[in-house]
Amino acid sequence: MKTAGCLILLLCLLANTQAQPKKPATGIVKIFFNNRINNHPVVLNDSTYTNPFGESYIIKKLKYYISNTVFYSGGKPLRQKNRYWLVNQAIDSSLSIRINLPENNYDSIGFLLGVDSARNTSGAQTGALDPLNDMFWTWHSGYIMEKMEGSSPQSKIVNNKFEYHIGGYEGENSALNFINLRLPADKKLSIQKGKMSTIIITVDINKFWDSGYRLTISETPVCSTPGILAKQIAGNFSKLFSVEEVTN
Amino acid sequence: MKIKIIISLLLIVLTGTSFLYDGPPKPTYLKLTIPRGWPKPGNNIFANNPLTEEGFQLGKKLFYDGRLSKDGNIPCASCHQQFAAFSTYDHDFSHGFNNSFTKRNAPPLFNLAWMKELHWDGAINHIEVQPLAPMTAKNEMAETIENVLKKLNTDTSYKRMFKAAFGNASINSQRMLRALAQFTGSIQSYNSKYDKVKRGEATFTMSEEQGYTIFKASCNACHTEPLFTDNKFRNNGLDVNKSLLDSGRMAITGNTADSLKFKVPSLRNLYLTSPYMHDGRMITLQQVLEHYRSGINISQSTLDTLLKKRIAISEREEVDLLAFLYTLTDKDMSTNKRYAEVVTYKIHEGPH
């Protein structure tokens, strides 16, 4: 009896020490989202821009969600689940995201522009998804995927405002877009143990007004509900992203 | 013998260290009651928010606390009064900040664990995020979540209660919302006379029994037992209220087929929840039955197919039906101290 007990104890100890899996070697990729207009970083409040329709405007808020990132190596996807980032032009530290990746070469990346439907219906959240970030609709549950606010003399509404709060996560009203970006053939992402690589993504805000859907401030200064208009504007937003540079 | 000594030594060491470990106190876990014969809730509202006594008590304190509103006067409980089954008694619309009115009749709160969508139009997709709507609405509590958290943070009793419920004293929006969900999601109604009859603890009078038969034939398709709602959105043929022009579910889905549809309310406790309908336009149940008998606007294109022929209820049947509906009143819920505000009285001692 005694020996049996000792044996079980010993086995448990052995199993415990052997159960530790080998940690794969990992490095870091830092992805910068450079929100730009005419090759210059977007300046909130103080710069006047002109859209392709000749409408002048200033931007006061520019925020959007990135989630469900994927890194492809020879077509094989590596997904990062349950991570959500709010890119906010007003907060420098939010303009880049860091992800740990196993050592490997990656030839393309993908991400969801917005918050997936499952997380939209999972109750109160924290961090980037905290309702305090002013990106959650209180009157109609769901996240605002992209938000751009500002003013323009062409806007006929109060205080010459424009406000695009783009959301909708279910069925026909889904404003979610998944974005795949191929990395330059000669400049793949090469993750090495303990090192940091960077990807710079240009987000060309100038294209926001006319990338498939013609959005003029004079005609459409506001969108704040899910639906066809929100989908069209979300479609425009999804076409702003391109890889500018990869550094290993 | 040796082994015994070793084991007892080990035990002494283990128990000894557990006294030294000054970790968070363990909360008392609770389980939602699923009454016999009821369906299981479609989705577990407490899946990410384990129900505990400490969380429930914190949620209750928040529910009755006016500081969740801008001027301190409008707690959740101002529109959701326990004696009215957590609806607003005798009000078509409820009072909000700065003498404003809400735009719909405050729904009662009970058996929320069985509801997938909340509000008359199903705008809210999870019980945890529901309080964000009334707290921030200009015609309700009119406050910002930032300000509420600031106010809670100045109150040491909240710090103590957040620690008891969630392990440490940190107060954030998620914890506040989850505590509120623990309280409101725990309000249950299953002890009406109807329930007791179903459990074999009471018997219907002859009139109630006949009313039950009429109910099953004419009402149960939408107000389905045992919740007395199918939780679907339907147009019951009310004329459009011209001063509200409330399109109901359509405002949420953007689908014209959802025009004038509202959530089917539970009939439980309906003797406590007057007035009736989404805009509180009817004061008495007689008016409600008269609507189904003769008032349904059958020209509306989205009118529910079950109501196209209206509902034939004779006056004799109406008496029995009302007698049955009264058996859905659950005083165990509406007077239960467990759901009531904890009031601490301070006795001021005068000069001797």
Side-chain angles (χ1 to χ4, degrees), chain A residues 1-246:
Chain A
M1 196 55 211
K2 273 187 215 169
T3 43
C6 284
L7 218 82
I8 287 166
L9 246 171
L10 205 73
L11 276 171
C12 287
L13 279 170
L14 269 172
N16 223 352
T17 50
Q18 283 180 343
Q20 283 180 352
K22 249 194 185 172
K23 272 191 185 163
T26 59
I28 296 166
V29 61
K30 197 170 181 184
I31 306 178
F32 289 85
F33 290 90
N34 282 0
N35 301 315
R36 287 175 171 269
I37 293 178
N38 303 328
N39 291 322
H40 290 287
V42 168
V43 177
L44 298 180
N45 303 311
D46 293 330
S47 279
T48 303
Y49 301 109
T50 306
N51 73 12
F53 309 113
E55 298 174 312
S56 66
Y57 65 98
I58 61 169
I59 303 176
K60 293 178 179 171
K61 285 180 188 171
L62 174 61
K63 300 166 158 188
Y64 50 87
Y65 278 111
I66 301 291
S67 70
N68 293 271
T69 45
V70 190
F71 291 79
Y72 299 93
S73 176
K76 219 179 120 189
L78 184 75
R79 296 174 202 282
Q80 289 77 47
K81 282 183 186 156
N82 300 321
R83 293 200 64 185
Y84 300 85
W85 295 272
L86 178 59
V87 176
N88 180 353
Q89 188 62 25
I91 301 173
D92 281 348
S93 61
S94 78
L95 300 176
S96 62
I97 67 176
R98 286 162 67 102
I99 297 167
N100 281 309
L101 286 175
E103 272 193 328
N104 206 344
N105 292 323
Y106 300 91
D107 43 46
S108 68
I109 65 168
F111 55 85
L112 188 70
L113 181 57
V115 177
D116 50 273
S117 63
R119 196 54 74 118
N120 269 277
T121 56
S122 301
Q125 306 292 320
T126 52
L129 300 177
D130 194 312
L132 288 178
N133 292 320
D134 224 8
M135 292 290 277
F136 188 80
W137 274 315
T138 56
W139 53 272
H140 177 190
S141 307
Y143 283 94
I144 296 170
M145 312 300 179
E146 303 105 36
K147 179 185 268 194
M148 187 155 101
E149 291 182 16
S151 64
S152 162
Q154 270 71 34
S155 164
K156 294 170 196 113
I157 62 166
V158 60
N159 293 339
N160 301 110
K161 284 206 293 188
F162 67 81
E163 275 192 20
Y164 304 114
H165 295 181
I166 309 305
Y169 60 87
E170 61 185 345
E172 283 189 2
N173 288 335
S174 173
L176 289 165
N177 287 292
F178 197 86
I179 293 166
N180 278 305
L181 297 172
R182 186 155 277 286
L183 302 176
D186 58 334
K187 216 52 201 289
K188 286 184 182 174
L189 176 67
S190 173
I191 295 291
Q192 287 159 44
K193 185 185 173 186
K195 290 193 174 170
M196 184 162 82
S197 299
T198 58
I199 300 175
I200 297 177
I201 292 177
T202 297
V203 188
D204 187 352
I205 300 300
N206 197 43
K207 285 188 187 166
F208 170 71
W209 309 98
D210 195 14
S211 288
Y213 174 70
R214 225 182 100 98
L215 177 64
T216 62
I217 298 169
S218 58
E219 280 170 42
T220 313
V222 184
C223 178
S224 60
T225 48
I228 295 166
L229 178 65
K231 277 173 73 167
Q232 284 165 324
I233 298 176
N236 277 9
F237 210 103
S238 72
K239 296 188 184 94
L240 312 182
F241 297 79
S242 63
V243 176
E244 183 179 315
E245 200 183 312
V246 178

